[in-house]
C-alpha cells in the first residue's frame, strides 16, 4: 500500500513541479505587465489596446491561426482518414513522413518553402516556363505564405489526435450503415464525423494555439508584412528592453486565445453530447 | 627483486593530467556571435590564451540584442567576462550598468588605439561598413547611389531591413543620404516612402539579407554589411556591393565590453590584447572588417571599400536608442505595411 502511494507521489511530483514553474512564469509575466513606472497599473494595456498598430497584431494573429487551423484540419482529417483505410505498410510510411516533418529543423523547413514558392522558386519558374503567368505570383511574404508554412509545420499535430480516435471506431458501424443502405457520404457525416469530434477538438486546440504563438514562420515567410504577436513581444522585450509592454501584449493574446479555446471546447462538448 | 611500477605510474599520470589544470587556472569566458564571427573571436581569443597561459571559453549569442539580454539576465552573478557586441548595444548595456568601467590606468596597452575608440565602459575595435548589394544579373541597370533604390525598374525586386536592424542604422543611413541625421530624421522618412513601392520583403537580421539575395528572391538588398557579402564579391561575381559616394558612411563598430567585475583584471588584459595590430589584423582577416588600430591593415577583399576617415559618420546612439521605438512605430505603420 505504502509503495503504491510512494509510486503515485513520484509520478505526481514532476507534474506539480511543472505546474508550479508554469504558474511562476505566468505570474511574473502578469506582474511585469502591470508595473508601469510613473503611470497607472493598466498603462501598458491602455497603450496596447489604444493603438491600431498593436491591436492589429492580435487581429492578424487570430486570423492567421484560424486560417491555419481550418486548412490543417481539412488536410489532417483527410490524411488521418486515409491512414485508417490503407495497408499497414502505407500507414507506417505516412507516420514516418509526419514524424520526420515534426522533427525537422524549422528554419530549414521554412527556407525550403521559400525555395519552392518564392519569386525565384520552383513553382514560379515552372509557371513562367510554361507561359502560364507573365510575372511571378506572390505566394510568400503575405498571409498565404505564412499559413502555408504553419500548416506544413502543424500537420502532425492535426493528424495524430484525429487518427487515434478514427482508428478506434469499430468498422462494424460503417458496415451496419452500409447494410442499411446508407451511402458513403451519409455514413461519414452521420456516423464517422460525429464520433471523431473529440479528436477534431484536440487537433483544433493544439493547432490553433501552436499557430497563435508561432514565431519563426511568420518572421521568415511573412517578409515583415505578417508579424504575429510573438514577434511583437520579442521585439519589445529583446530589442527595446520594454518587458512590461511585451508582457501586456503576451497576456492579452494568451487571455483571448484561452477564451476562444474555452468557447470552442464548450461548444464541442455540447455537440458531442447531442451526437 | 621484482619492482612494482604501477603505483608510481598511476601517480605520474594523475600529476601530468592535472598539470594543464593548474597551469591554466584562470579562465576567460567570451560571448560572441556564431559563424564567421565566432571564428574571428577565436582567432583573437586563442592567441590570448597562448600568450597569458589561460583558458578561454566561448559562449554564443544568437544576435546582438539577445547577447545584451543575456548579460541583463545574469547581472547579479555574471559568468560572461567579455562581451563582443556593437557600439550602440554596449552603449545601451552601459546605461543599464551591465558593464565594468574600463580602468585606463591599469591598461596601458589601450593607448595603441586612437582615444576616440576607447570609451568609459567599452572599447571599439573594428569597423563594419554598410552599403547596398545587388545582383547584376537581376537588376535592370547599374546602381550607384541610394536614390537608385527608388527607381521604378526595381518594383518588387527590393529587400530592405526592418527599422530595428543593426540598431536603427538603416533609418539613420536613409536620413544621412538625404541631408538629415538622427536629429533630423524626416528626410530619411521621405526617402523610405519613395522606395516603398519597390519593396518585396523586409529582413530583420544580416543573415536573412544574404539569403534573400542569394536565393534570387530580390535583386537588391537595400542595406547590408560588407563583411557578410565580401566572400561573394570579386571578378566574375554576379554581386556588387556599393557604398555610394557623396553621402556620409555609416559603420557599425564591433566593440568589446567587460561584464564580470570578479574577472576584471584578466578581462582588461584581453581588451589590451585585442587593441594590438596583430590581433586586429587576425580578426579582420576572418570577418572582412576594418581595424580601428591604424597600424593594422584591412584584408585585401575589402581594401577597395575603405572610405576616407572623414566620411565616416559618428552617430549618437544615446539619441538613437531613445528615439528608435518611436521611429519603429512610424516605420511599421507607414513602410512595413501594404
Amino acid at each position: 500500500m505504502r509503495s503504491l502511494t510512494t509510486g503515485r507521489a513520484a509520478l505526481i511530483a514532476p507534474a506539480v513541479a511543472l505546474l508550479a514553474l508554469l504558474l511562476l512564469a505566468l505570474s511574473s509575466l502578469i506582474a511585469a505587465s502591470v508595473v508601469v513606472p510613473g503611470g497607472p497599473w493598466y498603462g501598458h494595456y491602455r497603450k496596447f489596446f489604444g493603438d491600431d498598430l498593436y491591436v492589429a497584431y492580435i487581429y492578424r494573429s487570430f486570423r492567421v491561426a484560424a486560417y491555419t487551423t481550418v486548412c490543417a484540419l481539412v488536410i489532417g482529417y483527410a490524411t488521418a482518414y486515409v491512414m485508417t483505410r490503407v495497408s499497414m505498410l502505407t500507414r507506417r510510411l505516412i507516420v514516418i513522413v509526419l514524424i520526420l516533418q515534426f522533427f525537422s529543423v524549422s528554419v530549414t523547413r521554412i527556407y525550403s518553402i521559400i525555395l519552392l514558392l518564392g519569386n525565384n522558386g520552383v513553382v514560379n519558374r515552372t509557371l513562367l516556363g510554361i507561359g502560364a503567368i507573365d510575372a511571378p505570383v506572390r505566394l510568400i511574404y503575405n498571409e498565404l505564405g505564412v499559413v502555408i508554412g504553419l500548416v506544413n509545420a502543424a500537420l502532425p499535430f492535426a493528424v495524430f489526435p484525429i487518427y487515434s480516435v478514427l482508428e478506434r471506431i469499430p468498422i462494424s458501424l460503417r458496415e451496419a450503415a452500409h447494410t442499411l443502405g446508407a451511402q458513403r457520404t451519409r455514413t461519414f457525416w452521420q456516423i464517422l464525423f460525429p464520433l471523431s469530434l473529440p479528436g477534431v477538438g484536440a487537433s483544433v486546440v493544439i493547432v490553433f494555439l501552436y499557430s497563435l504563438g508561432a514565431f519563426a514562420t511568420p518572421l521568415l515567410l511573412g517578409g515583415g508584412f505578417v508579424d504575429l504577436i510573438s514577434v511583437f513581444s520579442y521585439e519589445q522585450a529583446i530589442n527595446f528592453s520594454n518587458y512590461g509592454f511585451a508582457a501586456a501584449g503576451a497576456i492579452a493574446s494568451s487571455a483571448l486565445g484561452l477564451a476562444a479555446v474555452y468557447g470552442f471546447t464548450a461548444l464541442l462538448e455540447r455537440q458531442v453530447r447531442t451526437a | 627483486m621484482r619492482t612494482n611500477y604501477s603505483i608510481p605510474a598511476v601517480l605520474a599520470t594523475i600529476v601530468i593530467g592535472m598539470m594543464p589544470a593548474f597551469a591554466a587556472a584562470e579562465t576567460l569566458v567570451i560571448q560572441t556571435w556564431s559563424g564567421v564571427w565566432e571564428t574571428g573571436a577565436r582567432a583573437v581569443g586563442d592567441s590570448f590564451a597562448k600568450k597569458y597561459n589561460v583558458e578561454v571559453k566561448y559562449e554564443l549569442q544568437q544576435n546582438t540584442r539577445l547577447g545584451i539580454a543575456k548579460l541583463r539576465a545574469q547581472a547579479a552573478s555574471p559568468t560572461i567576462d567579455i562581451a563582443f557586441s556593437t557600439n550602440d548595444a554596449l552603449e545601451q548595456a552601459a546605461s543599464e550598468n551591465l558593464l565594468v568601467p574600463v580602468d585606463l590606468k591599469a591598461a596601458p596597452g589601450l593607448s595603441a588605439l586612437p582615444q576616440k575608440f576607447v570609451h568609459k565602459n567599452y572599447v571599439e575595435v573594428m569597423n563594419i561598413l554598410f552599403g547596398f548589394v545587388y545582383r547584376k544579373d537581376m537588376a535592370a541597370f547599374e546602381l550607384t547611389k541610394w536614390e537608385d533604390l527608388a527607381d521604378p525598374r526595381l518594383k518588387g525586386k527590393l529587400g530592405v531591413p526592418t527599422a530595428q536592424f543593426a540598431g536603427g542604422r538603416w533609418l539613420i543611413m536613409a536620413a544621412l543620404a538625404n541631408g538629415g541625421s538622427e536629429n533630423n530624421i524626416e528626410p530619411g522618412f521621405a526617402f523610405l516612402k519613395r522606395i516603398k513601392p519597390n519593396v518585396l520583403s523586409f529582413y530583420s537580421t544580416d543573415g536573412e539579407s544574404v539569403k534573400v539575395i542569394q536565393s534570387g528572391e530580390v535583386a537588391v538588398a537595400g542595406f547590408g554589411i560588407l563583411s557578410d557579402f565580401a566572400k561573394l564579391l570579386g571578378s566574375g561575381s554576379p554581386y556588387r556591393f556599393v557604398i555610394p559616394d557623396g553621402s556620409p558612411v555609416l559603420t557599425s563598430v564591433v566593440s568589446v565590453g567587460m561584464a564580470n567585475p570578479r574577472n576584471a583584471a584578466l578581462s582588461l588584459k584581453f581588451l589590451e590584447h585585442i587593441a594590438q595590430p596583430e590581433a586586429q589584423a587576425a580578426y579582420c582577416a576572418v570577418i572582412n572588417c576594418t581595424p580601428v588600430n591604424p597600424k593594422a591593415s584591412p584584408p585585401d577583399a575589402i581594401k577597395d571599400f575603405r572610405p576616407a576617415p572623414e566620411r565616416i559618420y559618428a552617430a549618437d546612439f544615446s539619441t538613437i536608442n531613445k528615439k528608435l521605438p518611436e521611429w519603429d512605430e512610424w516605420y511599421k505603420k507607414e513602410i512595413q505595411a501594404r
Side-chain angles (χ1 to χ4, degrees):
Chain A
M1 188 68 185
R2 180 176 289 174
S3 67
L4 188 66
T5 314
T6 314
R8 277 183 186 163
L11 284 173
I12 291 168
V16 171
L18 270 177
L19 196 66
L21 194 66
L22 183 74
L23 289 175
L24 200 67
L26 195 63
S27 52
S28 73
L29 203 64
I30 293 170
S33 76
V34 294
V35 175
V36 185
W41 66 268
Y42 52 84
H44 290 312
Y45 291 95
R46 185 170 62 186
K47 184 182 175 192
F48 187 87
F49 286 106
D51 192 325
D52 289 346
L53 174 69
Y54 301 120
V55 176
Y57 280 105
I58 295 271
Y59 278 131
R60 200 180 301 125
S61 300
F62 275 74
R63 191 168 58 237
V64 166
Y67 291 155
T68 303
T69 306
V70 170
C71 296
L73 192 65
V74 171
I75 300 170
Y77 201 106
T79 310
Y81 183 76
V82 166
M83 283 167 70
T84 62
R85 306 295 297 257
V86 293
S87 67
M88 177 73 89
L89 187 69
T90 315
R91 190 182 312 148
R92 278 187 185 156
L93 206 65
I94 296 172
V95 169
I96 288 169
V97 169
L98 287 170
I99 287 175
L100 281 177
Q101 161 86 350
F102 181 76
F103 284 110
S104 61
V105 178
S106 64
V107 174
T108 312
R109 195 172 54 223
I110 292 165
Y111 275 112
S112 69
I113 292 174
I114 293 175
L115 293 177
L116 197 68
L117 302 179
N119 263 7
N120 198 33
V122 176
V123 172
N124 266 315
R125 271 188 286 147
T126 306
L127 292 174
L128 285 166
I130 61 171
I133 53 173
D134 298 326
V137 181
R138 195 172 285 185
L139 297 170
I140 55 172
Y141 304 137
N142 50 24
E143 285 191 7
L144 173 68
V146 175
V147 170
I148 290 171
L150 286 175
V151 169
N152 181 266
L155 204 56
F157 298 119
V159 173
F160 289 121
I162 297 172
Y163 172 70
S164 67
V165 175
L166 278 181
E167 72 160 352
R168 285 187 200 148
I169 298 173
I171 199 153
S172 56
L173 285 177
R174 268 185 269 176
E175 287 169 353
H178 186 64
T179 308
L180 292 169
Q183 297 294 316
R184 273 189 175 179
T185 319
R186 195 172 175 198
T187 308
F188 176 78
W189 286 114
Q190 292 204 337
I191 296 173
L192 271 186
F193 188 71
L195 289 175
S196 66
L197 278 178
V200 170
S203 286
V204 166
V205 170
I206 296 169
V207 173
F208 182 77
L209 291 179
Y210 170 82
S211 311
L212 201 61
F215 179 74
T217 305
L219 194 71
L220 296 174
L221 289 175
F225 294 106
V226 197
D227 288 348
L228 304 190
I229 193 72
S230 54
V231 176
F232 159 82
S233 290
Y234 176 87
E235 288 182 347
Q236 290 297 327
I238 303 299
N239 292 354
F240 295 139
S241 309
N242 197 350
Y243 289 106
F245 195 38
I251 293 290
S253 159
S254 302
L256 290 168
L258 285 176
V261 165
Y262 181 80
F264 171 78
T265 47
L267 204 71
L268 190 76
E269 273 175 26
R270 194 187 303 168
Q271 198 68 31
V272 169
R273 273 200 299 270
T274 56
Chain B
M1 196 174 89
R2 201 173 158 202
T3 311
N4 187 349
Y5 291 107
S6 60
I7 293 173
V10 168
L11 285 173
T13 308
I14 292 169
V15 169
I16 291 166
M18 288 174 72
M19 275 172 70
F22 282 121
E26 283 189 289
T27 302
L28 187 79
V29 180
I30 294 176
Q31 177 175 270
T32 182
W33 304 276
S34 59
V36 71
W37 304 94
E38 182 191 353
T39 314
R42 282 182 183 274
V44 180
D46 291 353
S47 64
F48 177 76
K50 204 171 171 184
K51 186 176 175 183
Y52 289 98
N53 196 24
V54 296
E55 187 183 2
V56 175
K57 291 181 178 172
Y58 301 88
E59 285 195 18
L60 300 182
Q61 54 191 351
Q62 203 181 351
N63 61 45
T64 305
R65 294 292 162 174
L66 276 175
I68 301 301
K70 200 167 170 184
L71 297 187
R72 197 178 289 127
Q74 58 169 240
S77 179
T79 58
I80 292 162
D81 300 315
I82 289 288
F84 273 80
S85 193
T86 58
N87 51 337
D88 55 301
L90 288 187
E91 193 68 45
Q92 172 75 36
S95 73
E96 296 179 34
N97 298 317
L98 300 174
L99 299 179
V100 181
V102 178
D103 184 357
L104 287 176
K105 283 179 192 163
L110 289 177
S111 61
L113 300 181
Q115 287 311 289
K116 66 176 180 178
F117 296 117
V118 181
H119 298 264
K120 193 180 162 194
N121 293 289
Y122 61 94
V123 177
E124 297 176 334
V125 286
M126 327 282 169
N127 268 313
I128 304 288
L129 298 169
F130 286 92
F132 63 78
V133 64
Y134 70 93
R135 282 178 62 145
K136 290 182 272 188
D137 56 333
M138 289 177 68
F141 62 102
E142 187 185 350
L143 284 81
T144 56
K145 53 188 187 298
W146 290 107
E147 195 58 37
D148 286 339
L149 301 183
D151 191 297
R153 285 174 287 178
L154 292 179
K155 189 173 171 59
K157 292 182 176 179
L158 175 65
V160 293
T162 57
Q164 297 163 31
F165 179 83
R169 284 178 176 80
W170 166 231
L171 306 186
I172 305 306
M173 190 66 248
L176 290 172
N178 291 277
S181 70
E182 64 269 36
N183 296 308
N184 176 23
I185 202 75
E186 292 304 325
F189 283 1
F191 169 72
L192 293 170
K193 279 186 174 175
R194 286 202 298 281
I195 67 165
K196 183 182 173 181
N198 291 345
V199 176
L200 175 77
S201 71
F202 295 87
Y203 45 82
S204 52
T205 65
D206 57 325
E208 281 177 63
S209 73
V210 179
K211 284 194 176 72
V212 288
I213 200 158
Q214 269 191 317
S215 64
E217 279 306 295
V218 297
V220 186
F223 193 65
I225 298 171
L226 175 60
S227 306
D228 291 326
F229 294 100
K231 58 186 177 295
L232 303 176
L233 306 174
S235 61
S237 163
Y239 302 96
R240 184 160 176 256
F241 193 92
V242 182
I243 300 175
D245 290 333
S247 51
V249 175
L250 197 59
T251 66
S252 175
V253 191
V254 174
S255 304
V256 183
M258 304 187 295
N260 186 359
R262 290 195 302 271
N263 209 6
L266 189 61
S267 301
L268 202 56
K269 280 184 188 170
F270 181 81
L271 260 55
E272 290 183 278
H273 179 72
I274 200 171
Q276 305 312 310
E278 301 78 24
Q280 296 241 317
Y283 189 82
C284 281
V286 178
I287 307 293
N288 281 312
C289 56
T290 311
V292 299
N293 187 324
K295 287 183 182 167
S297 296
D300 290 341
I302 63 161
K303 271 188 173 152
D304 294 344
F305 293 98
R306 202 173 194 181
E310 61 273 15
R311 282 189 66 204
I312 294 179
Y313 183 74
D316 173 10
F317 275 97
S318 58
T319 300
I320 294 167
N321 286 343
K322 269 182 214 147
K323 290 184 176 174
L324 191 54
E326 180 194 323
W327 294 341
D328 182 61
E329 278 188 21
W330 177 88
Y331 194 81
K332 282 198 163 74
K333 283 177 182 169
E334 299 294 332
I335 307 297
Q336 209 177 329
R338 286 207 171 97

